[in-house]
Amino acid sequence: MKTNLFLCLTFLLGLGFAQAQNLPSSPEPGKCYVKCITKDEFKDVQETIEVYPAYTRLEVVPATYKTVEERVLVKEASKKLVYVPAVYETVEVPYVKKEGRSDLNIIPATFGTNSRTFETYPATSGWEYKETACDSPNKEDCMVACFVGYPAQYRDVSFTTLAKDATVSNTPVNEKNATYTKQVVKTPARMDQIDVPAQYSTIKRQVLATSATTRSVTVPAKSQTVTRTVLAKKGGITTWEEVDCGLFDANVLPIFYELGSARITPASKKIIDETLLPLLNSKPVNIELMSHTDSRGNDDFNMSLSQQRANSVVNYLVSKGISRSRLSGRGFGETRLVNRCSNGVECSENQHQKNRRTEFRVLNN
């Protein structure tokens, strides 16, 4: 009874929600539906455009030359002057090696002796006063005046007289003669003039045969085919697609990765082709791809690696023609392990490999 009541309430609530959300009008029990809004449809059209116009190009036709031989003067005729040195001969030349002279001989002076008497003091006379003894107290009374005479004084002086003064006598000394050798010009130097003939050579030179000209070359236009994407059908129409209810939960995509790698192996590509491509090609649903790693390695590295693995699956589906707008990829690193193999726990390789997984689920548009 309680079960029937719960089913009735569920039906009524579902019917009210369905009317509010414009859900399918006659759903089947046990079925799940996803709301799909049709996308704009595009198509590629090709258009040929002229990317470079036709034009006339002028080309130069170069001049042509021909080779001719010509005899040319390479060195003019000239005259060469040759120096002929002078010729010398040796002669003896006399010369006075030491000139003659007169030697002077001195004849000293001769002297004689003589004497002469000189008056050295003349004869004199005069009054002389002498004091005599007397009893008078006046001395002048005791003075006696006497007239006294003194004879002259003489001296004999001997002196030398010049008998013959000094003289000079000349003694001649003859000169000394000698000879020296001297080179004198026998034949003076001269310049002889020699004729030097001109020199000629044969050269090859190129002379203009035809002058340069121009010619016209027509260059065709260049075209390019441009592919443009144009809107073929406007989207925005809401439809409800029946899908397996289990696809709304996380479903393991049975593809595995090597340790530390995000590369999709050929075997994994085959599984994606058989699992996801049929769903995406048959129904206009969106899916989310969730990638996980094991616990080995740095946590930040594992988070980045899981995101790369999710992106690898997204990129592969895009390469198969699925619009990127219908896909989303998320990496969870080692935050959603399916067993006990967390950091520091020893596990086998098979146990770790179960954590290196990719899951998918259908999203409501």
Side-chain angles (χ1 to χ4, degrees):
M1 182 68 180
K2 290 181 179 180
T3 301
N4 292 334
L5 180 61
F6 177 76
L7 291 176
C8 291
L9 290 173
T10 303
F11 176 76
L12 292 174
L13 289 173
L15 181 60
F17 182 79
Q19 291 177 349
Q21 296 295 323
N22 194 23
L23 293 174
S25 58
S26 57
E28 296 182 22
K31 298 291 183 177
C32 293
Y33 299 86
V34 63
K35 181 180 179 181
C36 297
I37 300 175
T38 58
K39 307 293 183 180
D40 290 341
E41 295 182 9
F42 298 90
K43 66 177 180 179
D44 293 336
V45 295
Q46 292 185 340
E47 182 178 343
T48 301
I49 61 173
E50 184 180 284
V51 296
Y52 208 93
Y55 66 97
T56 300
R57 184 181 65 203
L58 295 177
E59 294 182 349
V60 175
V61 179
T64 60
Y65 290 84
K66 64 180 179 179
T67 303
V68 297
E69 291 186 352
E70 184 176 334
R71 189 168 183 265
V72 294
L73 176 67
V74 295
K75 188 175 182 181
E76 294 182 342
S78 65
K79 295 183 182 298
K80 181 172 69 174
L81 296 178
V82 178
Y83 173 72
V84 179
V87 178
Y88 291 85
E89 63 179 350
T90 303
V91 296
E92 294 284 337
V93 179
Y95 70 98
V96 177
K97 186 175 183 180
K98 187 175 183 181
E99 293 183 345
R101 70 180 187 278
S102 294
D103 289 342
L104 300 178
N105 296 317
I106 304 299
I107 301 173
T110 58
F111 298 91
T113 60
N114 200 354
S115 64
R116 182 179 174 185
T117 301
F118 292 91
E119 182 182 7
T120 59
Y121 204 89
T124 62
S125 62
W127 294 98
E128 295 182 0
Y129 294 93
K130 294 182 181 182
E131 184 178 352
T132 63
C134 67
D135 292 333
S136 175
N138 188 1
K139 288 184 179 182
E140 292 182 1
D141 292 340
C142 296
M143 294 298 293
V144 178
C146 297
F147 186 80
V148 181
Y150 294 93
Q153 297 180 11
Y154 296 93
R155 179 185 175 189
D156 291 334
V157 177
S158 298
F159 57 91
T160 300
T161 60
L162 179 65
K164 187 178 181 181
D165 204 354
T167 59
V168 178
S169 64
N170 293 326
T171 303
V173 178
N174 295 328
E175 64 182 13
K176 293 181 179 180
N177 297 319
T179 61
Y180 65 90
T181 59
K182 175 182 178 182
Q183 288 187 323
V184 296
V185 177
K186 183 178 180 180
T187 304
R190 68 181 186 277
M191 299 295 291
D192 291 344
Q193 185 171 281
I194 300 174
D195 290 334
V196 179
Q199 294 181 11
Y200 293 88
S201 177
T202 300
I203 62 170
K204 292 182 179 181
R205 66 188 189 94
Q206 290 185 320
V207 296
L208 188 64
T210 58
S211 299
T213 58
T214 59
R215 64 186 174 196
S216 299
V217 178
T218 300
V219 180
K222 293 181 180 179
S223 299
Q224 181 177 338
T225 301
V226 178
T227 301
R228 297 192 300 117
T229 301
V230 297
L231 182 64
K233 183 178 180 182
K234 183 65 178 177
I237 301 174
T238 301
T239 62
W240 290 92
E241 295 290 336
E242 180 185 334
V243 296
D244 186 349
C245 292
L247 295 179
F248 289 99
D249 299 323
N251 292 269
V252 174
L253 189 64
I255 62 174
F256 299 97
Y257 304 91
E258 297 176 355
L259 178 63
S261 173
R263 183 178 64 87
I264 299 178
T265 64
S268 298
K269 292 180 181 179
K270 183 178 180 181
I271 293 173
I272 295 173
D273 293 345
E274 294 175 352
T275 305
L276 295 181
L277 280 179
L279 173 64
L280 292 168
N281 288 328
S282 63
K283 296 182 181 295
V285 295
N286 297 342
I287 66 170
E288 179 184 27
L289 294 155
M290 300 163 286
S291 187
H292 309 269
T293 66
D294 58 34
S295 62
R296 292 177 293 180
N298 180 272
D299 291 356
D300 292 337
F301 172 79
N302 286 337
M303 183 64 72
S304 174
L305 178 62
S306 65
Q307 186 63 52
Q308 294 176 30
R309 288 173 174 175
N311 292 341
S312 295
V313 179
V314 171
N315 292 336
Y316 177 72
L317 291 171
V318 171
S319 71
K320 288 294 185 177
I322 304 302
S323 173
R324 190 178 294 273
S325 63
R326 299 174 59 192
L327 307 170
S328 66
R330 293 181 62 190
F332 292 92
E334 56 183 273
T335 60
R336 295 185 180 184
L337 301 177
V338 297
N339 53 29
R340 64 180 185 85
C341 298
S342 59
N343 289 338
V345 178
E346 292 187 4
C347 294
S348 66
E349 178 61 30
N350 288 335
Q351 289 174 313
H352 281 302
Q353 190 180 53
K354 290 181 180 180
N355 289 321
R356 298 196 302 270
R357 70 196 187 279
T358 297
E359 300 169 331
F360 75 95
R361 67 187 181 94
V362 174
L363 299 176
N364 194 339
N365 285 352

